[in-house]
């Protein structure tokens, strides 16, 4: 489904660009216009986000909290995140967001659906798996990873990212595919060093 959505947004047929006689098939793209209209109609701006008081005695506190929130959103470029979030909602009908703390700052990102492995029936039922692509130099900079395992992974990796047509995506860097698991997992999966 994700590949079909992406193909239609890029004016491509999923059955190939030519018919059975080898003639080019035209693509009448009505999807992009509908997506753009939906995106503009449902867009949320930073100015639309406010903290409302729960009772009349908290009006001044809510006002100050809104000012601090607006300041944080401006500094963290939250408007860019909202645009990316809205665009993903308009294209796929839903989106996956991720908030990660980096150097004491909260960094929001929208995770593309083509990098997710999830339960399509119940999103929260099972752990969510995110595919992450890193270059060997990025992997070596990760202090949390066991560097012996990283070197073994780099040496034995054959990951090549490909387009829908099967063409290689990356011409310069060699990307290594990793899987990041999010969700509630049983404690027996935690492996402790026994020394």
């Amino acid at each position: 489904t994700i590949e079909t959505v992406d193909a239609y947004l890029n004016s491509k047929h999923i059955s190939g660009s030519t018919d059975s006689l080898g003639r080019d098939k035209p693509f009448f793209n009505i999807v992009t216009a509908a997506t753009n209209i939906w995106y503009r109609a449902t867009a949320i701006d930073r100015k639309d986000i406010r903290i409302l008081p729960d009772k009349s005695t908290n009006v001044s506190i809510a006002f100050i909290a809104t000012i601090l929130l607006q300041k944080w959103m401006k500094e963290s470029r939250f408007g860019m995140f909202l645009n990316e979030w809205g665009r993903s909602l308009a294209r796929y009908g839903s989106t996956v967001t991720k908030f990660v703390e980096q150097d004491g700052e909260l960094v929001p990102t929208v995770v593309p659906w083509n990098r997710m492995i999830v339960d399509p029936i119940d999103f929260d039922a099972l752990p969510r798996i995110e595919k992450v692509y890193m270059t060997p130099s990025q992997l070596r900079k990760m202090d949390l990873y066991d560097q012996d395992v990283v070197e073994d992974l780099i040496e034995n990796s054959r990951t090549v990212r490909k387009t829908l047509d099967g063409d290689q995506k990356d011409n310069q860097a060699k990307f290594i595919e990793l899987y990041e698991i999010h969700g509630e997992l049983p404690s027996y999966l935690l492996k402790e060093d026994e020394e």
Side-chain angles (χ1 to χ4, degrees), residues 21 27 42:
L21 299 174
F27 190 94
T42 59

Side-chain angles (χ1 to χ4, degrees), residues 59-100:
V59 172
S60 59
I61 293 171
F63 178 73
I64 292 170
T66 300
I67 291 172
L68 293 173
L69 176 65
Q70 291 291 335
K71 181 179 180 241
W72 173 80
M73 288 191 296
K74 184 176 182 181
E75 290 171 354
S76 66
R77 300 173 53 96
F78 197 71
M80 299 284 288
F81 164 76
L82 287 174
N83 289 340
E84 193 175 337
W85 174 75
R87 181 82 51 203
S88 180
L89 274 178
R91 289 178 175 169
Y92 304 105
S94 63
T95 190
V96 180
T97 57
K98 183 166 117 177
F99 291 81
V100 178

Side-chain angles (χ1 to χ4, degrees), residues 1-46:
T1 302
I2 301 299
E3 289 180 355
T4 303
V5 170
D6 288 339
Y8 288 177
L9 286 168
N10 293 309
S11 301
K12 292 186 180 278
H13 291 283
I14 56 172
S15 59
S17 59
T18 58
D19 63 11
S20 60
L21 299 174
R23 298 175 296 197
D24 287 338
K25 291 191 288 189
F27 190 94
F28 303 105
N29 193 335
I30 60 170
V31 178
T32 302
T35 302
N36 290 339
I37 290 170
W38 183 9
Y39 169 67
R40 286 193 304 269
T42 59
I44 297 175
D45 291 327
R46 282 190 341 233

Side-chain angles (χ1 to χ4, degrees), residues 76-166:
S76 66
R77 300 173 53 96
F78 197 71
M80 299 284 288
F81 164 76
L82 287 174
N83 289 340
E84 193 175 337
W85 174 75
R87 181 82 51 203
S88 180
L89 274 178
R91 289 178 175 169
Y92 304 105
S94 63
T95 190
V96 180
T97 57
K98 183 166 117 177
F99 291 81
V100 178
E101 184 181 342
Q102 291 178 350
D103 300 325
E105 295 290 324
L106 190 63
V107 179
T109 56
V110 173
V111 181
W113 273 112
N114 60 2
R115 287 190 6 217
M116 295 296 297
I117 301 171
V118 297
D119 181 358
I121 306 300
D122 187 359
F123 186 80
D124 294 323
L126 298 173
R128 277 113 13 236
I129 301 170
E130 178 187 353
K131 291 186 253 179
V132 180
Y133 297 93
M134 293 182 151
T135 62
S137 63
Q138 289 171 325
L139 272 175
R140 288 184 180 111
K141 290 179 185 175
M142 300 295 284
D143 295 333
L144 298 174
Y145 295 168
D146 182 349
Q147 291 303 311
D148 293 332
V149 174
V150 166
E151 290 302 324
D152 188 46
L153 180 65
I154 291 169
E155 186 177 315
N156 297 315
S157 176
R158 292 176 183 28
T159 303
V160 176
R161 297 192 300 181
K162 297 191 176 194
T163 63
L164 289 174
D165 297 331

